[in-house]
């Protein structure tokens, strides 16, 4: 049976607008706001490290250092602490998604009665993928600048492609961790097998969710265009960053709910018992 994309989206929207969905959005908003500060702190500290240690002239360093002003919420904690804080929040995010998936799926769809039984899987498998995504998306582009702008651009390209591949091929990994009780190897194998069951449909679903998610990019575009009005003495850049973060939480919740619904469809078609 092929994946019913429409049904997955309808279930996703229903879950998003339910009481559980509102709660998940609220938790993700709180997490994303804290992560915004951590990620901006990491980016600024990393940029400063790159500019000071890369092969740049003093004039180039001064010019590029001006970009650190793009991170108004960054706090001065040093590179080591910034990296540790960013990675900690990446792992916290995996536990939030684990909880959200189980919430949307409901107790009847999980083979694991106690969430504590899957903590190691969340940390090792979910956390491992999340850390790789962090490296691809945040570390690789900036680290490449240590060598030069060209290598930095290559790092950005490699990071983007790597992130897309991981997010696509292991799209069901978090659901497999949260809802099944297999070991590490079985969890990864089942996740990939669910994807291969109907890769075209899940890719289309991910593209649709990605298009919805572009709404969250509107505040960022307004920032680049210089259309960033301040509110109550708060700079426009900060206001738009916060707005974008809140909007992103809504579409993250929709994505979790819709992919979970898709996973349950695929799992049910492969195993009539549902587990």
């Amino acid at each position: 049976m092929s994946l019913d994309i429409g049904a997955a989206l309808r279930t996703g929207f229903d879950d998003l607008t339910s009481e559980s969905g509102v709660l998940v959005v609220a938790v993700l908003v709180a997490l994303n706001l804290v992560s915004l500060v951590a990620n901006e702190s990491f980016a600024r500290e990393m940029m400063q490290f790159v500019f000071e240690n890369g092969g740049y002239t003093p004039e180039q360093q001064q010019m590029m250092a001006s970009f650190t002003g793009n991170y108004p919420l960054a706090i001065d904690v040093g590179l080591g602490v910034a990296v540790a804080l960013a990675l900690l929040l990446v792992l916290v995010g995996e536990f939030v998604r684990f909880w959200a998936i189980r919430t949307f799926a409901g107790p009847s769809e999980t083979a694991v009665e106690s969430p504590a039984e899957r903590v190691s899987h969340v940390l090792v498998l979910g956390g491992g993928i999340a850390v790789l995504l962090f490296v691809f998306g945040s570390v690789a582009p900036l680290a490449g600048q240590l060598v030069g702008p060209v290598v930095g651009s290559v790092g950005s390209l490699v990071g983007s492609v790597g992130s897309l591949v991981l997010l696509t091929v292991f799209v069901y990994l978090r659901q497999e961790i949260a809802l099944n009780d297999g070991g590490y190897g079985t969890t990864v194998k089942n996740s990939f097998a669910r994807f291969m069951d109907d890769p075209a449909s899940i890719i289309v679903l991910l593209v649709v969710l990605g298009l919805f998610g572009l709404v969250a990019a509107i505040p960022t575009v307004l920032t680049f265009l210089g259309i960033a009005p301040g509110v109550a003495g708060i700079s426009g850049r900060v206001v738009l960053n916060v707005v974008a973060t809140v909007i992103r939480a809504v579409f993250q919740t929709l994505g979790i709910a819709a992919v979970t619904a898709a996973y349950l469809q695929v799992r049910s078609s492969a195993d009539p018992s549902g587990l």
Side-chain angles (χ1 to χ4, degrees):
M1 182 186 75
S2 62
L3 171 63
D4 188 336
I5 299 171
L9 285 171
R10 286 192 297 273
T11 300
F13 278 109
D14 288 343
D15 286 340
L16 173 64
T17 55
S18 67
E19 290 185 7
S20 296
V22 172
L23 178 59
V24 171
V25 170
V27 172
L28 283 174
V29 166
L31 174 65
N32 287 351
L33 289 175
V34 176
S35 296
L36 179 61
V37 175
N39 291 335
E40 287 201 359
S41 300
F42 164 77
R44 191 181 71 177
E45 295 289 346
M46 188 68 180
M47 288 182 71
Q48 289 177 341
F49 176 81
V50 167
F51 298 155
E52 292 171 1
N53 294 277
Y56 299 98
T57 65
E59 292 76 14
Q60 289 174 322
Q61 290 180 12
Q62 184 176 5
M63 179 185 68
M64 290 185 291
S66 64
F67 288 113
T68 58
N70 293 332
Y71 308 107
L73 294 175
I75 53 178
D76 187 11
V77 293
L79 182 58
V81 174
V83 171
L85 182 59
L87 290 176
L88 174 62
L89 289 169
V90 163
L91 295 178
V92 171
E94 287 305 300
F95 282 102
V96 170
R97 288 173 177 81
F98 175 80
W99 160 71
I101 290 166
R102 290 176 64 90
T103 298
F104 289 138
S108 64
E109 297 290 354
T110 176
V112 186
E113 293 185 4
S114 173
E117 297 175 20
R118 303 298 279 177
V119 168
S120 63
H121 286 69
V122 177
L123 288 173
V124 175
L125 297 180
I129 293 293
V131 169
L132 281 175
L133 290 171
F134 175 75
V135 171
F136 282 139
S138 299
V139 178
L142 291 174
Q145 296 289 340
L146 280 169
V147 180
V150 174
V151 178
S153 299
V154 172
S156 296
L157 178 61
V158 171
S160 298
V161 173
S163 297
L164 283 174
V165 170
L166 281 176
L167 286 170
T168 303
V169 174
F170 293 105
V171 60
Y172 294 130
L173 180 63
R174 288 161 172 153
Q175 281 72 20
E176 191 69 28
I177 292 171
L179 304 178
N180 271 0
D181 60 358
Y184 294 104
T186 301
T187 298
V188 174
K189 183 178 70 174
N190 285 351
S191 171
F192 183 71
R194 311 288 191 204
F195 166 73
M196 291 303 297
D197 184 75
D198 190 0
S201 294
I202 188 60
I203 289 173
V204 171
L205 176 60
L206 292 177
V207 169
V208 172
L209 291 171
L211 292 175
F212 284 142
L214 288 177
V215 176
I218 293 176
T220 303
V221 173
L222 294 177
T223 299
F224 282 120
L225 293 176
I227 308 174
V231 176
I234 302 174
S235 75
R237 183 180 292 276
V238 171
V239 172
L240 289 178
N241 280 347
V242 172
V243 170
T245 300
V246 173
I247 296 174
R248 190 175 299 113
V250 173
F251 288 104
Q252 281 177 320
T253 303
L254 173 61
I256 293 170
V259 172
T260 298
Y263 169 82
L264 293 175
Q265 280 189 41
V266 173
R267 187 179 71 174
S268 177
S269 66
D271 180 2
S273 71
L275 296 174

